[in-house]
Amino acid sequence: MKKKLIPVVILSAMLVFLAACGSDSGSLEDLQDAGTVEVGFANESPYAYENDNGELSGASVDIAKAVFAELGIDNVEGKLSEWGELIPGVQAGQFDVITAGMAIQPARCENALFSEPTMQYGEGLVVAAGNPHGLESYQDIADNPDVTVIVMEGATEIGYLEEVGVNPDQITTAGDIPATFSAVQSGRADATTGTEMTVRENFASANTDDLELVETFEQPDIPGVPSYGGAAFHPDNEELRDAYNEKLKELKEDGTVAELLEKNGFHPENNFVEDGSVTTEQLCNGEV
């Protein structure tokens, strides 16, 4: 009896595995027929997050909605994911596109297709009130081995910190930005870092006297800063990525992208990337 069941069990396991892995995300035609696109995000304000009403919001989301509307796809559904699971998720077909303001980097380009940049941004730092360690740069963290810094898992800041000489033993991670803030507030870490807009907005939302935003923070002079964020697609879905880029270019030129950035607290000029000024090809090749 057991021998007869083994092939069935194996076949069932294989089917579950294949269904979970998927092949690639929907084609442009499939998405247009359905009128719906599923986007992965990591709940990082002001890029992509669920607002108090449970609605998908943020600069990256609004830009993606505008682009997909131009493509005839009006319904944008969000799928919340841990930051480190976004690229594996789009690879597995769990969603059609990542809308998280994700920085376009060579290593990431090996695993996903990125749109042209939708925005640019620098870094920020939050410490305990009074800044007891006098931290004003990543170099200050590197120079003090007793200082610990907590970063969102999978974020580019981990590499930035190590690039300037911060010992990996000084770095811990958490699943999202609020968790990194809580760690500093409770004394489990001395500092947290992330993109400037994320850090600034979450600091304002925290509304606590226990934390301090380092206004004198010195941007690290390393490759990748400033960062250039864009949408990301399945590696085999060039058709969807190219169609997205075509409409994105039009929305940059008519001022829509700048308006959406400003609506979400970004600077319409400082955080805006002129079409062609910095390209995804350059970023993926490590030229910028």
Side-chain angles (χ1 to χ4, degrees):
M1 185 69 175
K2 290 183 180 179
K3 289 183 179 179
K4 292 180 180 179
L5 287 174
I6 289 175
V8 176
V9 172
I10 293 175
L11 177 60
S12 299
M14 288 178 64
L15 290 174
V16 171
F17 174 78
L18 291 172
C21 290
S23 54
D24 61 358
S25 52
S27 68
L28 175 60
E29 184 178 359
D30 289 341
L31 297 179
Q32 289 173 328
D33 287 344
T36 296
V37 60
E38 295 183 335
V39 302
F41 70 105
N43 219 25
E44 182 182 7
S45 175
Y47 301 92
Y49 62 99
E50 285 184 348
N51 64 21
D52 294 338
N53 297 321
E55 300 167 336
L56 188 57
S57 305
S60 296
V61 171
D62 285 348
I63 292 170
K65 284 181 177 178
V67 172
F68 283 116
E70 291 295 313
L71 291 171
I73 306 167
D74 294 322
N75 186 32
V76 176
E77 294 184 354
K79 285 192 172 183
L80 179 63
S81 175
E82 294 286 338
W83 180 266
E85 296 302 316
L86 286 173
I87 287 182
V90 80
Q91 286 179 317
Q94 294 173 4
F95 29 80
D96 304 303
V97 59
I98 298 167
T99 58
M102 181 176 283
I104 305 168
Q105 297 181 328
R108 289 175 175 167
C109 293
E110 294 177 2
N111 298 293
L113 286 179
F114 280 88
S115 71
E116 291 302 313
T118 56
M119 62 182 68
Q120 61 179 330
Y121 45 79
E123 304 302 308
L125 188 70
V126 163
V127 297
N131 197 358
H133 295 284
L135 304 177
E136 295 184 335
S137 67
Y138 288 163
Q139 189 61 54
D140 288 340
I141 298 174
D143 291 341
N144 188 342
D146 294 329
V147 168
T148 58
V149 56
I150 188 165
V151 185
M152 184 171 64
E153 183 178 347
T156 54
E157 286 74 22
I158 297 171
Y160 295 161
L161 289 161
E162 293 179 351
E163 179 75 16
V164 301
V166 177
N167 191 311
D169 292 340
Q170 294 176 255
I171 305 170
T172 58
T173 60
D176 55 31
I177 295 296
T180 68
F181 273 59
S182 294
V184 177
Q185 193 169 6
S186 66
R188 290 180 286 114
D190 298 306
T192 185
T193 182
T195 62
E196 180 181 2
M197 287 299 300
T198 295
V199 168
R200 188 173 293 278
E201 182 155 315
N202 279 271
F203 174 75
S205 298
N207 191 28
T208 175
D209 294 331
D210 296 332
L211 300 174
E212 179 177 324
L213 176 67
V214 182
E215 295 288 1
T216 54
F217 178 71
E218 180 182 340
Q219 294 293 329
D221 184 17
I222 56 175
V225 181
S227 297
Y228 295 85
F233 303 82
H234 188 280
D236 295 335
N237 211 338
E238 292 186 15
E239 178 197 24
L240 182 58
R241 190 275 311 272
D242 292 347
Y244 189 97
N245 278 341
E246 182 180 345
K247 295 303 180 183
L248 175 63
K249 179 179 180 180
E250 294 175 5
L251 294 177
K252 283 185 176 183
E253 292 174 347
D254 70 12
T256 299
V257 171
E259 291 176 4
L260 294 175
L261 286 172
E262 186 172 20
K263 168 192 169 185
N264 286 279
F266 291 84
H267 195 285
E269 295 178 3
N270 295 346
N271 296 117
F272 179 74
V273 184
E274 292 282 353
D275 189 69
S277 60
V278 175
T279 68
T280 293
E281 182 179 5
Q282 291 173 321
L283 293 164
C284 288
N285 291 335
E287 299 172 16
V288 177

